[in-house]
Amino acid sequence: MNPITYCMNVHPGEDLPAIMKALETVTLPLRDALGEDEVFPLGLRFGSQTAKALRVPETMRSLVSFMQRNHLTTIGINGFPYGPFHGQTVKTRVYEPDWESQHRVSYTRDLFYALTRLPGARLGNDHRLSITTVPLAYDRGQGISETMYQNICAMALFLRKLEGFTGLRMCLALEPEPDCLLQDTHTTVDFFEHLWQHPDWNPAYRELIGLCFDTCHFAVNYEDPLNALRHLVSANVPISRIQISAALEFNQYTTAADLDPFLDSVYLHQTVRREDDASITCFPDLTRDLLPEIIGRRGRIHYHVPLTWGGTGRLGSTRHALTPAFWRYVRSGGWPVEIETYAYFVYPDYLRSRTLSEALLADLNWTREQLRNA
């Protein structure tokens, strides 16, 4: 059975006391409600300040001790947001620093060092503990730089050496997202093919650099999640983690009043309008000024809605794209599965009728049921 957990980027990750509080008040009761008999895997999230703090042996020991006492393990760490991720404007800053920056490299190394010390879930021979990261950079029209290729190759070399010292099998998992340098199957496969031809690349690194596959992100671009995942696997791109999430969907009956509650100043909500000829027009963010461009049309928005939400008629969710065939393929692959719910605190009130714990429990149970029944 695939390890199933939730991504802790829904909690604060900027300091260890806040992370410990989230573990105690949300994660442990959630584990108990799920009826876990053995260990519960975590999809941890550490910001850069926490990653630095965990360099201190005593600080790391306290976290490890807590996890061991409470039968917690991890499938890996979310290393996408470098800094604060809640309660203030994030937008395109979430991709900074990008993979041109040594700050991103140093932060990611700190996360891997931390991961070597944490209790890890048994993922099986085919899967590695992973650190998820930004899709190289937000696409500002400059393409993938030579520095990015060099930094990714250097990270692969670092991981090969770290594996030699520790015996732990780990992977850097790039996470494609709309409007980024890696945004769909085409740009992702093209990047890996160029990476594998880079002078600094060694074929022995193949399993060390892979992908975090987020179903919302591919659905926003109108890529069928099953076809996209199969395409990536057939192109020999390593898949380290499957993030289960659903995008917001609008149709010709959607009104401005329907979308208004989804406008927020915190996160970036890339928006795609579906044209009559099945082509798409992309917009960088869901804003009030954009509403006249999309009202009366069909499209999708990068806004992670609850998996248990079926829509209102004028608004829907891309969870319908998560077909039984998709779940069977995920189950056969054995990949770690992580639900992604970070937008909870900016949901419209009617989507926050449940507490965070209740919402996580419902989404996890829904996900388990899909896998079980596929």
Side-chain angles (χ1 to χ4, degrees):
M1 185 67 174
N2 312 66
I4 303 174
T5 188
Y6 77 99
C7 183
M8 290 190 66
N9 64 358
V10 71
H11 305 301
E14 285 67 61
D15 63 82
L16 194 57
I19 294 169
M20 298 293 281
K21 182 179 179 180
L23 288 169
E24 290 174 339
T25 61
V26 177
T27 308
L28 294 183
L30 180 62
R31 176 205 62 189
D32 295 342
L34 287 166
E36 294 290 336
D37 295 325
E38 298 180 357
V39 294
F40 183 60
L42 299 176
L44 292 162
R45 186 243 153 174
F46 300 147
S48 60
Q49 294 305 311
T50 300
K52 290 176 183 176
L54 288 172
R55 294 176 184 170
V56 179
E58 184 178 353
T59 304
M60 176 58 75
R61 280 195 296 269
S62 68
L63 176 58
V64 170
S65 176
F66 177 88
M67 291 179 66
Q68 290 173 334
R69 285 197 314 272
N70 291 285
H71 308 290
L72 301 173
T73 61
T74 183
I75 63 167
I77 303 170
N78 185 312
F80 199 122
Y82 179 89
F85 194 53
H86 295 286
Q88 57 182 274
T89 299
V90 178
K91 298 293 183 182
T92 58
R93 288 193 301 172
V94 73
Y95 310 107
E96 299 171 358
D98 61 32
W99 275 97
E100 271 214 328
S101 170
Q102 283 301 310
H103 292 295
R104 174 62 65 176
V105 174
S106 297
Y107 165 53
T108 306
R109 283 177 175 167
D110 284 344
L111 293 177
F112 276 113
Y113 280 130
L115 189 56
T116 64
R117 293 162 174 80
L118 295 173
R122 294 181 180 178
L123 302 183
N125 293 332
D126 295 331
H127 302 296
R128 293 168 172 263
L129 297 170
S130 60
I131 305 291
T132 62
T133 190
V134 296
L136 299 178
Y138 188 70
D139 188 357
R140 303 185 188 279
Q142 298 177 333
I144 302 173
S145 69
E146 172 64 15
T147 301
M148 291 178 186
Y149 281 111
Q150 291 173 350
N151 284 340
I152 294 295
C153 289
M155 183 58 60
L157 174 60
F158 164 79
L159 287 175
R160 174 58 71 212
K161 292 179 178 179
L162 195 59
E163 183 174 337
F165 287 128
T166 65
L168 287 176
R169 303 170 70 251
M170 295 176 289
C171 176
L172 177 68
L174 297 151
E175 185 177 335
E177 186 171 310
D179 289 349
C180 295
L181 292 180
L182 306 183
Q183 63 173 309
D184 53 22
T185 54
H186 172 75
T187 53
T188 301
V189 170
D190 186 67
F191 162 73
F192 275 94
E193 289 178 345
H194 282 83
L195 177 68
W196 297 333
Q197 297 301 316
H198 193 276
D200 293 345
W201 183 257
N202 186 319
Y205 300 162
R206 178 61 72 99
E207 298 301 318
L208 302 174
I209 307 295
L211 214 65
C212 172
F213 184 93
D214 188 305
T215 58
C216 167
H217 297 169
F218 285 89
V220 168
N221 285 325
Y222 280 87
E223 289 198 82
D224 175 75
L226 174 59
N227 290 341
L229 185 55
R230 280 177 169 164
H231 184 177
L232 293 163
V233 171
S234 67
N236 296 315
V237 176
I239 307 296
S240 300
R241 195 183 308 188
I242 305 291
Q243 284 189 337
I244 302 297
S245 56
L248 183 65
E249 198 166 50
F250 58 91
N251 58 45
Q252 61 268 36
Y253 305 109
T254 304
T255 68
D258 294 323
L259 288 175
D260 190 73
F262 291 90
L263 300 172
D264 76 77
S265 61
V266 180
Y267 302 115
L268 191 68
H269 300 297
Q270 298 95 321
T271 300
V272 166
R273 186 180 68 199
R274 188 72 179 263
E275 309 297 350
D276 292 338
D277 59 359
S279 65
I280 60 175
T281 300
C282 303
F283 303 94
D285 195 11
L286 177 66
T287 63
R288 186 161 280 105
D289 290 342
L290 178 62
L291 295 182
E293 298 286 337
I294 62 175
I295 294 304
R297 311 293 285 276
R298 293 182 300 138
R300 294 175 175 177
I301 300 168
H302 177 211
Y303 192 115
H304 293 233
V305 294
L307 294 168
T308 53
W309 181 64
T312 64
R314 294 195 302 266
L315 285 174
S317 155
T318 60
R319 74 172 187 177
H320 61 78
L322 304 178
T323 62
F326 168 81
W327 290 109
R328 285 194 294 272
Y329 192 69
V330 170
R331 188 173 64 188
S332 68
W335 295 291
V337 170
E338 179 181 64
I339 64 169
E340 175 86 87
T341 56
Y342 68 82
Y344 173 84
F345 292 104
V346 297
Y347 282 163
D349 289 344
Y350 67 86
L351 289 184
R352 257 191 308 139
S353 59
R354 293 170 165 154
T355 67
L356 176 59
S357 297
E358 292 169 341
L360 290 169
L361 178 61
D363 276 0
L364 282 166
N365 278 331
W366 182 87
T367 300
R368 286 178 161 196
E369 183 178 0
Q370 306 311 305
L371 272 172
R372 187 184 307 116
N373 295 336

